[in-house]
Amino acid sequence: MPSAVDFRQTLRRQLRQARRHLSATDQSLAAEALVDAYQALSSVLNISGDKRIALYLTNDGEISPHLLCEHLWSLGHNIYLPVVKEQSLDFAHYTQQHIDDDTLWRENRFGIKEPVDVSPKSGFEMDLVFLPLVGFDDQGGRLGMGGGFYDRTFANKSKQAKPVLIGLAHDCQQVASLPMESWDIPLDAIMTPTQLISITNQTQTD
């Protein structure tokens, strides 16, 4: 009988393959749908005012938040991207001028671009964190890439504390149930192109 670790590794491979096989059109439509999903999320969670919101740069077939980012900028929010710090994450301010100015970027040890920020914020200084995932279930379980960076960053987070943690995913990444470990951080909500699953309020909308 396979161990929980073996099962998670097998599931991770299958779900990563599923999202990488999505067409460019599917990816584009999914990115557009996230903007509409955010409208439902902001209503459920009563998001208002100027917030510090963390997103991510897309990699390995992940659903892209680039259109959501532009929408959040238009609403006056401050956007941040994760930067690797030893075994956890800080968050660097991401402004619109970063898009066309390569001098404001650097690559981390995984070859992923990060904005240069001399005073990055901690995870607990964010109001909302939209984070990528490999797999999810409707109870807020999240299967990540296996590095544990988000888990370590928010290891001491209580359910009611900032930030609100929102997983972003394609619908093909949903599974019936994920085996959870003690170090896995539960999500407050999950957004897909067709669903908003609010774990905090135990509601689900299509």
Side-chain angles (χ1 to χ4, degrees), residues 47-155:
I47 301 169
S48 61
D50 178 10
K51 302 295 185 185
R52 288 175 176 167
I53 301 179
L55 294 171
Y56 59 89
L57 296 182
T58 307
N59 182 51
D60 193 55
E62 294 162 345
I63 191 167
S64 176
H66 70 283
L67 295 179
L68 176 60
C69 180
E70 293 177 5
H71 177 67
L72 293 170
W73 272 331
S74 75
L75 296 176
H77 296 298
N78 284 290
I79 305 302
Y80 292 79
L81 295 177
V83 293
V84 174
K85 180 191 68 172
E86 299 297 333
Q87 296 301 310
S88 62
L89 301 170
D90 277 341
F91 293 87
H93 198 208
Y94 179 38
T95 58
Q96 287 168 289
Q97 66 259 30
H98 280 101
I99 293 175
D100 299 314
D101 191 344
D102 288 339
T103 64
L104 298 177
W105 294 90
R106 64 185 171 209
E107 285 192 357
N108 63 27
R109 63 180 184 264
F110 302 107
I112 299 172
K113 280 189 172 184
E114 298 176 344
V116 174
D117 187 341
V118 295
S119 300
K121 304 295 184 184
S122 73
F124 290 99
E125 292 179 271
M126 299 295 102
D127 294 298
L128 292 87
V129 175
F130 290 97
L131 57 161
L133 48 84
V134 174
F136 70 94
D137 61 28
D138 62 8
Q139 297 301 305
R142 171 185 177 267
L143 181 67
M145 289 288 282
F149 287 94
Y150 282 97
D151 292 320
R152 284 186 288 271
T153 301
F154 299 107

Side-chain angles (χ1 to χ4, degrees), residues 27 30-31 34 56 58 61-65 168-170 173 191-193:
Q27 289 281 9
L34 283 186
Y56 59 89
T58 307
E62 294 162 345
I63 191 167
S64 176
L168 299 183
H170 297 285
Q173 295 172 242
M191 281 170 43
T192 79

